[in-house]
Amino acid sequence: MRTTSDRIRHAISFEVIGLILITPLGALAFDKPVEQIGVVAFVSATMATGWNYLYNLIFDHALLRIRGAVQKTVPIRVIHAILFEGGLLLILLPFIAWYLGVSLLEAFLMDLSFAIFYLVYAFVFNWAYDVIFPVPAGTPPGNA
């Protein structure tokens, strides 16, 4: 298991790098001012940071209970990323529609596009994070 400080480093670095990538890409893709996409991205990142911490804590505890270890195989990483993004999509949909003044369908398509980006990004980022900051093998829960 990871420590609280490691989980915080993980969540913040994930969101900062994601913001740097998604803001200009979103403005370009949706023909919206970079400032508007920046606000949507910042609010989304703030909400996602809390969701990221909570979701990963729950997911790791579930893995530990089910498998006896928190190490993730490729199929588990795929499931992890899909469930994370699905939950976040539901959380963010009303805000995107309201702030950008678009229909729920348009907001859903935008949110889905962001989710697809973040689905791939989360898979790559989390894999890289685990390589750069591995959980020590055989560490008792709560002591990593």
Side-chain angles (χ1 to χ4, degrees), residues 8-21 45 48-49 52 56 84-85 88 117-126 129:
I8 292 169
R9 175 182 57 202
H10 174 273
I12 291 172
S13 60
F14 179 88
E15 295 306 331
V16 168
I17 294 167
L19 278 172
I20 290 168
L21 296 171
T49 299
N52 190 347
N56 282 301
F84 176 84
E85 291 303 328
L88 190 58
F117 167 83
Y118 273 100
L119 181 64
V120 173
Y121 171 65
F123 181 84
V124 172
F125 178 90
N126 286 311
Y129 191 89

Side-chain angles (χ1 to χ4, degrees), residues 23-85:
T23 300
L25 292 173
L28 185 63
F30 302 117
D31 195 30
K32 295 283 185 186
V34 73
E35 297 82 12
Q36 282 187 334
I37 296 299
V39 169
V40 168
F42 180 78
V43 169
S44 298
T46 301
M47 294 172 77
T49 299
W51 173 237
N52 190 347
Y53 177 83
L54 180 63
Y55 175 79
N56 282 301
L57 181 64
I58 292 167
F59 196 93
D60 284 354
H61 278 283
L63 268 184
L64 190 60
R65 183 174 305 164
I66 294 166
R67 300 183 71 234
V70 295
Q71 285 69 31
K72 297 170 186 78
T73 63
V74 171
I76 289 172
R77 287 183 185 284
V78 170
I79 292 166
H80 176 269
I82 290 169
L83 291 175
F84 176 84
E85 291 303 328

